[in-house]
Amino acid sequence: MPFPLEQFGQRVQLARQQLDISQEVLAERCGFDRTYVSLLENGKRNPPLVSICRLAWALNVTPAQLLDGVDAVEGEE
Amino acid sequence: MPFPLEQFGQRVQLARQQLDISQEVLAERCGFDRTYVSLLENGKRNPPLVSICRLAWALNVTPAQLLDGVDAVEGEE
């Protein structure tokens, strides 16, 4: 179950590195704490949709592009 | 700020209707309440990433496909 969070974190990190900006700058653009961005990139946070949309804006991608490669999760446990 | 939530809700509703399943069936597949699915489709909930990934699984699409057409959100208020 944490796996898509790790996939998402890797997507965020890659997009940030491609823009050549720090976690601090990304956090400022989103209105997040730097710590939150670090936890996100490590797959330790489960961000709500509006936060995903803010990250996408700050990273110059669409929300769909930011979820590219993130797997669906079987609902029944 | 609620706009991407409405866009997402419409995507979920469309994908559900294309599968020809009820809100009840979608909710069961995801392990959600039917009420939550109804609120989501009306743009009244801000679902976390793992819930988006469960909805995608239940709707036979990828999480990225489910966010197709959802706009980025400017971070600074």
Side-chain angles (χ1 to χ4, degrees), chain A residues 1 4-5 8 28-30 46-50 52-54 56-57 63-64 67-68 70-77, chain B residues 1 4-5 8 28-30 46-50 52-54 56-57 63-64 67-68 70-77:
Chain A
M1 141 125 168
L5 299 184
F8 179 74
E28 264 174 42
R29 287 191 188 175
C30 294
N46 186 10
L49 179 56
V50 172
I52 294 169
C53 294
R54 285 188 183 202
W57 177 82
L67 261 62
D68 188 38
V70 175
D71 289 330
V73 172
E74 192 165 335
E76 344 229 303
E77 331 245 282
Chain B
M1 140 124 169
L5 300 183
F8 180 73
E28 264 173 41
R29 287 191 189 175
C30 294
N46 187 9
L49 178 57
V50 171
I52 294 169
C53 293
R54 285 188 184 201
W57 176 83
L67 260 64
D68 188 38
V70 176
D71 290 329
V73 172
E74 192 165 335
E76 344 231 304
E77 332 245 284

Side-chain angles (χ1 to χ4, degrees), chain A residues 6-59:
Chain A
E6 289 164 20
Q7 292 169 331
F8 179 74
Q10 286 168 7
R11 292 287 302 165
V12 169
Q13 186 176 50
L14 184 66
R16 179 178 62 74
Q17 288 169 345
Q18 282 172 344
L19 271 187
D20 197 23
I21 59 172
S22 64
Q23 290 184 337
E24 285 81 355
V25 168
L26 176 56
E28 264 174 42
R29 287 191 188 175
C30 294
F32 298 155
D33 283 342
R34 211 261 324 155
T35 311
Y36 185 71
V37 170
S38 171
L39 289 163
L40 264 180
E41 289 191 359
N42 286 297
K44 306 293 189 196
R45 285 296 176 273
N46 186 10
L49 179 56
V50 172
S51 298
I52 294 169
C53 294
R54 285 188 183 202
L55 285 161
W57 177 82
L59 292 165

Side-chain angles (χ1 to χ4, degrees), chain B:
Chain B
M1 140 124 169
F3 204 51
L5 300 183
E6 289 163 21
Q7 292 168 332
F8 180 73
Q10 286 168 7
R11 292 288 303 166
V12 169
Q13 186 177 50
L14 184 67
R16 179 177 62 74
Q17 289 169 345
Q18 282 172 344
L19 271 187
D20 197 22
I21 60 172
S22 65
Q23 290 184 337
E24 285 82 354
V25 168
L26 176 57
E28 264 173 41
R29 287 191 189 175
C30 294
F32 298 156
D33 283 343
R34 211 265 318 159
T35 311
Y36 185 71
V37 170
S38 171
L39 289 164
L40 264 180
E41 289 191 0
N42 286 296
K44 306 293 190 196
R45 286 295 177 273
N46 187 9
L49 178 57
V50 171
S51 298
I52 294 169
C53 293
R54 285 188 184 201
L55 285 160
W57 176 83
L59 292 165
N60 291 338
V61 296
T62 66
Q65 285 169 333
L66 206 50
L67 260 64
D68 188 38
V70 176
D71 290 329
V73 172
E74 192 165 335
E76 344 231 304
E77 332 245 284

